[in-house]
DNA sequence: TTATCTGTTATATTACATATATAACACATA
DNA sequence: TATGTGTTATATATGTAATATAACAGATAA
């Protein structure tokens, strides 16, 4: 896997896992229907507990980004990704508000802030070594 | 004060306080040199503990957004706000990366994402009832 | 059938973060 | 002198994060 954990980070391990899997899907490294490692094997690979992996998988399942089949195991959502819901927009707005405020106080312009958003988005979408559709 | 807390939120109280004070500075509601309530009075106003307020104040002091004088009490930074440091840019990029990835997976375009960033920034900057320079 | 692997559930423990409560301290002010 | 300031210390309660072990039902392959 392409996962790299920072055990010194203040970001919880399960959240780092969630983030990196979502980035994998966003970049196309993980395609709909692609299988993910079992909770035990990924836990062993990363040197963490299987419950931590399980927590991440279930959060992503709850968000609709992953499916957990009794037969296929854990795979990337293949029945259509969830769209831009009202709830998601509100959560996104709230997070952006906090970032925009500190950026503004530090003197970063609206244009620079928006441009950084664009660049980061593009960089996230850009495939890094994986297969692409 | 203009502070409104959501005790049901998963965002810690001290973090909500930090966010709203930063937004107050960004919007101009709080001007450099403006005094903030004492830890005890603000705590009483909000119905929370003074140590929670103190934690928020100290985080903002550490970030350079507030000054704590033995005489003047707690005031908004009047000796120049900290600028866009390399550390801040990196932290901002990391946070944006997480947001951009989920937005992308949900099908939000780069343009929409950037436009939302712009709009939220502008909305944050916009004064809501306070005095402006 | 047996053995193995899957996600899941349960229980327990450790460590840390959050939030509160109470008290005391040095400093400044009216 | 009395009061208010931020600060420090101690204690407690609660929740989260992460780990460890064990067991379970369902699926799979030898």
């Amino acid at each position: 896997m392409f996962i790299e954990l920072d055990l010194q980070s203040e970001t919880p391990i399960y959240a780092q896992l969630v983030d990196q899997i979502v980035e994998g899907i966003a970049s196309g490294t993980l395609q709909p229907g692609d299988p993910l490692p079992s909770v035990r094997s990924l836990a062993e690979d990363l040197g963490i507990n299987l419950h931590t992996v399980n927590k991440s998988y279930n959060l992503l399942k709850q968000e609709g980004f992953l499916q957990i089949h009794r037969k296929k195991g854990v795979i990337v959502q293949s029945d259509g990704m969830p769209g831009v819901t009202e709830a998601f927009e509100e959560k996104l707005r709230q997070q952006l508000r906090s970032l925009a405020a500190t950026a503004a106080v530090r003197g970063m312009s609206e244009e620079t802030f928006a441009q950084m958003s664009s660049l980061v988005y593009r960089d996230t979408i850009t495939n890094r070594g994986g297969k692409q559709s």
Side-chain angles (χ1 to χ4, degrees), chain A residues 43-109:
Chain A
E44 192 175 18
D45 277 8
L46 301 176
I48 62 178
N49 192 274
L50 92 171
H51 292 108
T52 306
V53 177
N54 189 253
K55 182 173 184 176
S56 303
Y57 278 2
N58 273 288
L59 285 172
L60 289 167
K61 168 192 172 188
Q62 191 179 354
E63 202 169 352
F65 291 174
L66 293 185
Q67 291 173 308
I68 304 183
H69 284 82
R70 176 69 72 178
K71 310 187 67 172
K72 304 180 187 174
V74 180
I75 64 173
V76 177
Q77 174 67 58
S78 58
D79 298 335
M81 285 290 173
V84 179
T85 64
E86 189 59 48
F88 169 70
E89 270 207 0
E90 190 46 48
K91 189 182 293 184
L92 176 57
R93 229 182 289 271
Q94 186 198 337
Q95 306 244 55
L96 282 176
R97 186 152 39 232
S98 175
L99 297 181
T102 65
V105 169
R106 284 177 175 270
M108 179 179 286
S109 72

